[in-house]
Every structure is written in structure tokens, then in C-alpha cells.
Amino acid sequence: MKLFAGLEQIIKTEEPMAPYTWFRIGGAAQYFIEPTSVEQLAEVLKRCRESEMPVRVLGGGANLLVDDSGVRGAVIHITGEKFSEVAFTADGVKAGAAADLSRLVLRCVREGKSGMECLTGIPGSIGGAVRMNAGGAFGDIGSIVETVHLMDADGVAFTRMRGELTFGYRCTNITSTVILGAEFRLLAEDQHRVLNQVKQIWIYKKNTQPLARRSAGCIFKNPRGLSAGALIDKAGLKGRNVGGAFISDKHANFIIAEPKTRASDVLKLINIIRETVYKRLEVYLELEIEVW
Ligand SMILES: Cc1cc2nc3c(=O)[nH]c(=O)nc-3n(C[C@H](O)[C@H](O)[C@H](O)COP(=O)(O)OP(=O)(O)OC[C@H]3O[C@@H](n4cnc5c(N)ncnc54)[C@H](O)[C@@H]3O)c2cc1C
């Protein structure tokens, strides 16, 4: 590990990725790196850059399918205390990229702050949520972002303000390698009203999504004006499977992975869905999840 000399304590080689994803599927990462400080993260990025090693950044692993063959290069896992700090301010909250989104939603309730409740039931980290502009029918995280703290591939940290940022449907113009954290605008609100809102969204999601099963959330983006789930259902695919990968009965845009499912099963099922929906309904479905 000459390349990472002096950093051995934060690096594992050929680390299985499955435990780090919500699908619980996937091969090993060649280099799996968990920096414990911003300085260490910058050093890791510099070394990867110097050796032209490909870098991927992992948050909560809730939007990922890792291939059975694993990931070549470096997977940098943004985790741990230094990246998870949360501090409430007069008009919002500042959160590190590794802070857990669902826990932050509940802390906002306790603090009597409104703005994050629309993100109820969305698993993952703040970094992943900002990168994906996580959200849905109730709103998205981009609408409350004030500032993001970023690091580029050379390990240089910088900040972008609201006016420089754009957020769209599961996308943003943030292209920097790492999101270090963000500040969000919140409004003071009666605790019970915020809690009620969270409860209502949670009940709705629990009734319509298989939240307790292994998945990566919605597999496909909704085509403009259409629902990917409704299209998959209409194409007669609900309940279809390849090996242990099933199209959910509850929400046809979710693929559920039974224990021992392989990434190749999920990928085959994705192809079947795409081909069938295209053949029967002439709509091409674009992936929402990322495949590594
Ligand atoms: C049961 C279930 C329900 C879901 N429901 C929703 C929903 O309603 N709405 C929705 O939008 N999504 C939903 N998702 C998908 C997922 O929760 C979101 O996309 C979430 O924001 C991903 O965050 P993460 O930390 O897990 O990111 P990961 O899956 O780890 O990564 C996703 C992407 O973000 C990048 N990334 C992660 N952290 C960082 C960082 N610190 N810096 C730079 N890049 C980073 C990764 O490189 C990758 O490109 C659901 C998933 C599940 C399993």
C-alpha cells in the first residue's frame, strides 16, 4: 500500500461493499477508505489524484447497486463523528455530510423547526441527500439548502452559496468530488404541528412503499408527467422476479432483494422492466439508482 503509506489505519483492501448498502448486495471495494478528519480526507484525495486512481464517494448506500464484481479504485466512505456534526442556528441547521437524514428530521421536530419534514422516510446521509436532491411529492432538500461545503479532487475545500446552486429532479449542479456538509433554512414552528406532518408522511409512505425490505428506493425516475411505478404495473410486471430480486407488490418501482440475491439478478430484472415497458407502452425508463 505504498500509495497510501501512513494512512493504513483508515484503509481496508478488498472490503465487501454489501453491508454498506441498503440492498445488502455487491462485491468488494479495492480500497475502502474511512477518513476521520477533513485533513485526512484531503490527503486521501490528493494521493488518489496523483496516482490517477478512480474515486467514488459513499454515504448511506441507500441509492446504490454495487456490481457483483465490486469496485476498482477507491471508495471513500464519509462517516464518523467529524463528518456528522449537527448545530442548530437561529434560522436553520448546519449538518455534516455523514449526519443521518432521518435522525435530523426527528431532531428538527424536537427543536420545533419546520422545513425538513418533507424528507420523512428517506434513508441515507445529508451528503447523499444533497447530491441526489432527495425528496418527492412533499418537497425536496434543495429547496431549503442555503450553503454547501465542498471538497474538490485535489483536496481543496470551498463553499457554494444558494445563488450558485441549482437543484432539479434528483439532480444538482454540484459536481465537486465530496460534499462535506450543508446549511439549511428552517422556520420556527409548533412542535406538535411538525410532528403531525412527519407522522402523516410516514404513514403514507409505510402504506405505499416497502420500507422495511432491502431495496434502494425507486429504481427508475418518473418520466415527465408519468409515474414509473404505474407504468411498470400497467405493463403487467408487478411481482415478477429474477432469482431473489422481486418487483414489489406494494410499489412497482421498488425492487426487493431477498437474502443471497446477486447484483446480476437485479440488473437482469431492470433490463426486463425497461424492455417490457418500452415494448408495451413506448416509454424508456431512466435509472434513478446508481450502479457501481
Ligand atoms: C426504502 C427507501 C426509500 C427511499 N425513498 C426515497 C424518496 O422518497 N426520495 C428520494 O429522493 N430518495 C429515496 N430513496 C433513495 C435514497 O434514500 C436517497 O437517494 C438518499 O439521498 C441517498 O443518500 P445516501 O447517503 O444513502 O447516498 P448513497 O446511496 O451513499 O450515494 C448516492 C449518491 O450520492 C453520492 N454521495 C453520497 N454522499 C456523498 C458526499 N458526502 N459527497 C459527495 N457525493 C456523495 C454518491 O457518490 C452517489 O452518487 C429511498 C431509498 C430507500 C432504500
Side-chain angles (χ1 to χ4, degrees):
M1 267 213 287
K2 231 167 93 190
L3 162 64
F4 293 119
L7 295 166
E8 291 83 358
Q9 73 280 11
I10 57 162
I11 300 184
K12 293 175 185 159
T13 51
E14 298 306 328
E15 173 76 353
M17 289 283 296
Y20 300 96
T21 72
W22 278 66
F23 252 143
R24 294 282 181 272
I25 293 178
Q30 186 181 9
Y31 294 102
F32 187 81
I33 310 173
E34 293 186 323
T36 57
S37 67
V38 172
E39 295 72 26
Q40 249 180 8
L41 171 64
E43 184 60 32
V44 166
L45 286 168
K46 263 187 251 167
R47 304 242 193 135
C48 290
R49 178 70 152 211
E50 278 159 16
S51 61
E52 294 179 9
M53 177 172 289
V55 169
R56 293 189 188 271
V57 178
L58 174 69
N63 200 50
L64 290 182
L65 175 64
V66 177
D67 195 82
D68 299 317
S69 61
V71 184
R72 296 294 88 193
V75 172
I76 302 179
H77 188 201
I78 306 298
T79 185
E81 240 175 86
K82 278 277 154 60
F83 295 100
S84 308
E85 285 165 9
V86 170
F88 283 86
T89 58
D91 48 12
V93 65
K94 181 175 179 180
D100 181 81
L101 177 62
S102 297
R103 255 182 253 152
L104 187 56
V105 169
L106 293 179
R107 272 197 71 180
C108 288
V109 173
R110 282 201 299 275
E111 299 280 334
K113 299 281 187 186
S114 163
M116 285 238 166
E117 56 276 19
C118 61
L119 305 165
T120 300
I122 303 180
S125 68
I126 288 294
V130 171
R131 169 71 87 209
M132 297 304 302
N133 187 22
F138 304 96
D140 55 46
I141 199 165
S143 61
I144 54 165
V145 170
E146 279 296 312
T147 309
V148 285
H149 304 287
L150 305 167
M151 188 173 273
D152 68 17
D154 294 312
V156 177
F158 59 102
T159 295
R160 288 269 178 267
M161 309 299 286
R162 173 152 199 87
E164 303 167 273
L165 304 170
T166 56
F167 292 95
Y169 176 45
R170 302 293 88 77
C171 65
T172 161
N173 64 345
I174 299 169
T175 52
S176 322
T177 310
V178 183
I179 296 164
L180 298 171
E183 274 137 47
F184 304 97
R185 186 182 54 244
L186 302 173
L187 295 171
E189 177 58 282
D190 176 65
Q191 242 186 27
H192 298 286
R193 284 178 74 159
V194 191
L195 181 60
N196 249 335
Q197 187 69 13
V198 166
K199 274 187 184 163
Q200 276 178 28
I201 297 175
W202 177 248
I203 290 167
Y204 171 80
K205 291 215 160 177
K206 232 176 126 234
N207 287 335
T208 54
Q209 299 179 4
L211 295 180
R213 310 291 301 276
R214 295 172 179 188
S215 79
C218 287
I219 294 287
F220 300 101
K221 289 183 178 174
N222 289 322
R224 193 178 287 269
L226 297 168
S227 149
L231 290 168
I232 297 166
D233 200 0
K234 202 168 164 192
L237 288 164
K238 235 182 191 175
R240 180 81 183 259
N241 77 300
V242 173
F246 285 82
I247 298 174
S248 165
D249 281 334
K250 216 171 195 180
H251 192 312
N253 199 11
F254 277 61
I255 291 180
I256 303 298
E258 300 289 358
K260 300 209 173 106
T261 302
R262 298 179 59 77
S264 58
D265 296 333
V266 179
L267 290 169
K268 277 181 205 152
L269 189 54
I270 285 173
N271 279 337
I272 290 173
I273 297 170
R274 272 185 157 158
E275 279 171 17
T276 313
V277 168
Y278 188 72
K279 240 191 244 161
R280 298 194 184 154
L281 305 166
E282 291 189 355
V283 181
Y284 182 76
L285 293 175
E286 231 181 276
L287 279 185
E288 176 169 328
I289 61 160
E290 249 185 58
V291 181
W292 285 7

